[in-house]
Amino acid sequence: MKRVNSITPILIALGLVLTACHGGQKNEPAGGAEVVTATELSADSVTTVKKDAVPVDFFSKGTIESVSEVAVTSRINAQIVMMGVEMGQRVQKGQVVVRLDRTATEDKIVKGRAELERAEYQYQNILMGQGYKRGAFDQAPENIREMARINSGYNTAKAALRQLEHELTYCTIQAPISGVVTQLNAVLYGAAVPGETLFRIVDTEHLKVCFDILENELQRFEKGTEITVAPVSYIDDRHYARITAISPVVEKNGVVHLEATLTPHPHLIPGMSAIIALGRID
């Protein structure tokens, strides 16, 4: 592995990788020049380049991703009455981000309490019908009281009320993780539907770079192998990482997936493309 003290190899490598993405064809070396191979993210083709032009014996196209990203959804059908976030806003875990209309659930709770009172009255009547006096029901054997609770519907009514009271907490939605709000789909006074994403939260403080290599290059990589990451948008930047995960499976197209943890930086954004070079390029 050669050490390089110039940004030129990465710039040339970027052009070659992006060009290969369009054509997917091999570039024949001119004048019998010695060649090295460069692996694309898709690994659909291998591009040959002049060794004198790119004095780096491996590069690949990768993608910067967040270690943690979650979709924020509602568990109930209700109208959104408070939106506490905007696109790009940073939120903290546990922060209230959305409030839903409580009216419908509160009405159900009122009816549920009335149903529980009716069932409790029926429970008492069953015990008194068996000779137990009001205020002394605890003198009845437990199996008798349990049967009375079942026949009166007391257990069912109590469980239903408990569930409704729990559903009321669904009207307040908190951020499940700390991060930045993206893909904001919800609007104030719009409808929140279970399963539909209101927005997503991306943890930009914990990033990784993901890329693929050909299986015949696997022997050059192991956990801890150092790589250089140059984001396409800031090609002069240098970010260094070490391999933290190697897929135990070779995909059908003959590539192996690798991941490396990155230190957060303002220029590193999830979804961004980057050029990966083996070793440390200063």
Side-chain angles (χ1 to χ4, degrees), residues 80-223:
I80 298 172
V81 295
M82 188 277 283
M83 277 291 298
V85 296
E86 297 178 351
M87 179 70 74
Q89 178 180 335
R90 177 167 293 280
V91 296
Q92 299 298 318
K93 181 179 180 179
Q95 177 181 334
V96 175
V97 291
V98 176
R99 292 190 188 278
L100 305 177
D101 186 12
R102 298 161 57 97
T103 304
T105 304
E106 288 176 340
D107 287 345
K108 291 178 182 179
I109 289 175
V110 170
K111 294 178 181 178
R113 287 172 178 166
E115 179 62 24
L116 181 59
E117 290 179 0
R118 187 204 64 78
E120 186 174 12
Y121 180 76
Q122 182 65 22
Y123 164 73
Q124 294 175 357
N125 282 342
I126 292 174
L127 290 180
M128 287 189 293
Q130 296 184 26
Y132 299 98
K133 296 182 179 180
R134 189 185 299 274
F137 295 146
D138 57 349
Q139 295 178 3
E142 176 56 31
N143 64 323
I144 298 296
R145 285 182 286 165
E146 181 60 23
M147 186 60 66
R149 284 192 290 265
I150 294 173
N151 291 336
S152 65
Y154 178 85
N155 286 348
T156 301
K158 187 174 183 179
L161 179 59
R162 185 181 296 113
Q163 177 61 29
L164 289 171
E165 291 173 340
H166 184 65
E167 286 183 6
L168 193 62
T169 64
Y170 296 163
C171 294
T172 300
I173 301 177
Q174 298 176 317
I177 64 171
S178 297
V180 177
V181 175
T182 65
Q183 299 181 26
L184 182 60
N185 300 317
V187 295
L188 184 62
Y189 302 124
V193 179
E196 292 187 3
T197 299
L198 302 175
F199 54 88
R200 304 184 75 86
I201 299 178
V202 177
D203 180 2
T204 56
E205 296 301 316
H206 298 85
L207 301 176
K208 62 183 178 180
V209 61
C210 304
F211 62 102
D212 292 344
I213 63 172
L214 293 175
E215 59 179 307
N216 61 359
E217 297 165 337
L218 184 58
Q219 60 183 341
R220 307 173 66 190
F221 293 86
E222 60 184 17
K223 288 186 177 180

Side-chain angles (χ1 to χ4, degrees), residues 10 228-239 273-277:
I10 293 297
T228 298
V229 181
V232 170
S233 299
Y234 301 92
I235 200 63
D236 291 336
D237 283 9
R238 294 292 179 274
H239 302 276
S273 296
I275 298 301
I276 313 301

Side-chain angles (χ1 to χ4, degrees), residues 24-95:
Q25 299 179 346
K26 292 185 177 180
N27 298 324
E28 295 296 331
E34 195 173 356
V35 300
V36 294
T37 60
T39 309
E40 292 184 79
L41 180 63
S42 63
D44 290 332
S45 63
V46 175
T47 303
T48 57
V49 300
K50 293 182 180 181
K51 186 172 182 179
D52 292 340
V54 184
V56 179
D57 63 356
F58 173 88
F59 63 84
S60 177
K61 184 180 178 183
T63 303
I64 296 171
E65 299 180 6
S66 172
V67 173
S68 180
E69 178 178 343
V70 298
V72 177
T73 62
S74 173
R75 297 185 180 184
I76 59 174
N77 281 296
Q79 185 182 40
I80 298 172
V81 295
M82 188 277 283
M83 277 291 298
V85 296
E86 297 178 351
M87 179 70 74
Q89 178 180 335
R90 177 167 293 280
V91 296
Q92 299 298 318
K93 181 179 180 179
Q95 177 181 334

